[in-house]
Amino acid sequence: MRSLEALHAVLDPAAIVTDPQAMALHLSDWRGKYRGAALALLRPRNVEETSAILRWATATRTAVVPQGGNTGLSGGATPDSSGKAVVLSLARLNRIRAVDVEGDTLTAEAGCILADIQQAAAAKDRLFPLSLGSEGSCQIGGVVSTNAGGINVIRYGTVRDLVLGLEYVRADGTVIHGLKPLRKDNAGYALRELVIGSEGTLAIVTAATFRLFPRQRVSATALCGLDSPSAALKLLSLLRQSAGERISSFELMCDAEMGLTLDLVPGTALPLERRHSWYVFIELADSDPSGRVGELLTETLGTALGENVLEDAAIAQSEAQAKAIWHLRFAVAEANRRAGPIVSHDTSVAVADVPAFIAAVEAMATERFPEARALFVGHVGDGNIHVVLLFPQQTRRDRLGDLAATVNERVFAIVGAFGGSITAEHGIGRSLANALSQSAQPEALELMRAVKNAFDPLGILNPGAVLARP
Ligand SMILES: Cc1cc2nc3c(=O)[nH]c(=O)nc-3n(C[C@H](O)[C@H](O)[C@H](O)COP(=O)(O)OP(=O)(O)OC[C@H]3O[C@@H](n4cnc5c(N)ncnc54)[C@H](O)[C@@H]3O)c2cc1C
């Protein structure tokens, strides 16, 4: 504990936690898949204290694992088992510093919960469009550091498209004051873009300035039953013609995943008369109160039914029904957590390749892992498909690591053949660091290492995440 002594002079007592019970929640991830140990959990209240912690970490060569809401799915916020690192929780940096209605921007500290930011924007009659199943727990620092996606990317892009300015602390404690609300800024290299999505390996994010959008006044939600992923893409094409940029979400789910969700998550119900092989979740929204999104959706789904693109559809008739439809989609991660031993992936391919990609993964899974069920769910409008292989309950837990390595190898080979990405939105974390070293172009990897070295020459920021240890 000697090395922590210097911190007591600069931090309040509540900022330094070494009690094992109090630290426990911070030493494993949401799924309980990764576990680690730490010298301490540090909880600064502001950017100055965060900077002091990093100066101390540099002086003592202590590894720092930043943590937000700890909902990440790639093991990036969990320390290794050495017990030598500190976990740096940004949860107490939780002020919304400003909402600028005229300029359509919002500035929030890293520890703010995403749902609170959505509400703060709504309270000023604006929209903050980032929406994820974990929005009640994940934090601004986490969503920035993972470049999170979610269900509205098809319309508003990922976090990278929403961030205008960033305040962050370098490994040596220097604060970079980049909270500019500028829409255009070509002054030098875009360092902010490097920090976004760097999963705590380049800097500690302490605050961000985001773009806001006009609040949606009218919306229409539907759950559709279809026979194939190709039908889903035909439906997307029809919707693009009729509703254009009003498409806020377009999500795909296979029936096996729907079955698990209905069976395992309380409060879920299928609003269709029967089960279908595939489902699409749609949301159209318009900031113009006279926008005809309800009629547009009804007409387009009618056309799709007439052209045999669709088998059935339920259009929400109330806000409660719309919420119930989205509950089915958001409950998937919980269903998978309860379902049993799974190996999951967060892949992306070109949107047009989604049906062939799914077919290729399904064929591989049937041949190589006949005991497993292949599940598919995801943001099909972005080409982002979560592939999940669910193994029987009796699968020995100590076999899962080897099994996951073999499944990953097979799935990533297919991703490679389609020119896709091994992670679309969850990030590399610790779970895919080796896979990144094997799949990235060596010269690109060399550049990534050079960037890491420029930001963090001692390698104390989240070591082992993103870039595998040499
Ligand atoms: C039910 C559920 C649904 C989800 N749905 C989606 C989805 O649709 N789309 C999606 O993109 N993700 C999704 N996720 C994954 C996850 O919620 C996101 O990755 C989210 O952005 C993580 O935020 P967090 O605050 O929990 O970060 P954490 O899990 O705490 O950390 C994630 C990474 O960011 C780093 N980090 C955290 N805070 C900081 C900081 N202030 N500075 C520097 N580095 C930091 C950590 O070290 C770690 O590497 C889902 C997760 C769950 C559990």
Side-chain angles (χ1 to χ4, degrees), residues 19-314:
D19 172 48
Q21 234 181 331
M23 284 205 289
L25 266 182
H26 299 267
L27 300 179
S28 82
D29 68 315
W30 180 79
R31 292 195 286 204
K33 193 172 163 190
Y34 307 95
R35 281 181 205 288
L39 183 64
L41 166 70
L42 301 178
R43 305 172 67 243
R45 285 172 301 191
N46 50 45
V47 66
E48 292 77 21
E49 290 184 0
T50 310
S51 164
I53 289 171
L54 287 163
R55 283 198 302 277
W56 164 84
T58 289
T60 56
R61 305 287 196 270
T62 305
V64 176
V65 178
Q67 196 174 86
N70 203 13
T71 67
L73 299 173
S74 309
T78 310
D80 65 16
S81 56
S82 69
K84 291 182 179 162
V86 290
V87 173
L88 176 61
S89 164
L90 282 299
R92 291 168 87 201
L93 274 80
N94 57 4
R95 274 187 318 129
I96 294 177
R97 292 195 193 161
V99 185
D100 175 0
V101 176
E102 296 288 303
D104 269 333
T105 65
L106 180 151
T107 299
E109 293 183 346
C112 292
I113 303 282
L114 172 56
D116 294 340
I117 298 305
Q118 295 165 344
Q119 277 170 24
K124 299 282 184 184
D125 209 24
R126 294 289 183 275
L127 173 74
F128 183 61
L130 183 70
S131 179
L132 326 175
S134 55
E135 61 198 25
S137 313
C138 66
Q139 298 175 6
I140 287 310
V143 300
V144 169
S145 301
T146 56
N147 183 28
I151 63 165
N152 292 335
V153 171
I154 191 170
R155 182 163 183 177
Y156 298 99
T158 63
V159 164
R160 181 162 277 130
D161 300 295
L162 305 176
V163 173
L164 293 173
L166 215 54
E167 176 189 272
Y168 53 91
V169 186
R170 276 180 16 177
D172 65 0
T174 312
V175 181
I176 304 294
H177 300 280
L179 285 178
K180 294 180 180 174
L182 304 180
R183 307 269 160 170
K184 298 175 90 174
D185 178 9
N186 275 350
Y189 298 133
L191 299 175
R192 180 187 70 223
E193 302 300 327
L194 286 173
V195 174
I196 297 171
S198 66
E199 303 180 57
T201 61
L202 297 185
I204 306 299
V205 173
T206 47
T209 297
F210 297 99
R211 299 167 68 190
L212 296 179
F213 296 81
R215 193 162 69 81
Q216 302 302 352
R217 311 270 162 196
V218 283
S219 64
T221 306
L223 179 71
C224 306
L226 316 92
D227 68 359
S228 64
S230 330
L233 287 193
K234 279 186 200 140
L235 179 59
L236 178 58
S237 170
L238 284 174
L239 263 182
R240 284 208 196 277
Q241 283 165 35
S242 62
E245 74 288 349
R246 297 182 194 84
I247 307 170
S248 292
S249 310
F250 194 89
E251 304 273 304
L252 180 74
M253 191 192 286
C254 73
D255 188 50
E257 184 70 80
M258 180 63 87
L260 280 184
T261 306
L262 292 167
D263 288 346
L264 300 178
V265 183
T268 50
L270 188 71
L272 298 167
E273 275 179 17
R274 67 165 179 90
R275 298 276 286 273
H276 298 263
S277 301
W278 293 87
Y279 304 89
V280 159
F281 296 72
I282 300 171
E283 177 132 320
L284 303 186
D286 201 326
S287 56
D288 176 355
S290 62
R292 299 173 48 249
V293 285
E295 287 101 311
L296 272 177
L297 189 57
T298 310
E299 282 163 23
T300 312
L301 296 184
T303 308
L305 269 171
E307 294 181 8
N308 292 324
V309 171
L310 261 193
E311 292 178 338
D312 195 7

Side-chain angles (χ1 to χ4, degrees), residues 374-412:
L375 314 172
F376 301 91
V377 60
H379 318 289
V380 64
D382 316 322
N384 177 190
I385 299 298
H386 302 302
V387 174
V388 179
L389 259 66
L390 172 63
F391 286 87
Q393 282 293 357
Q394 63 270 24
T395 307
R396 282 196 3 230
R397 296 303 191 263
D398 60 356
R399 261 200 72 216
L400 261 185
D402 288 344
L403 208 50
T406 329
V407 177
N408 287 352
E409 202 181 302
R410 300 277 162 186
V411 171
F412 294 158

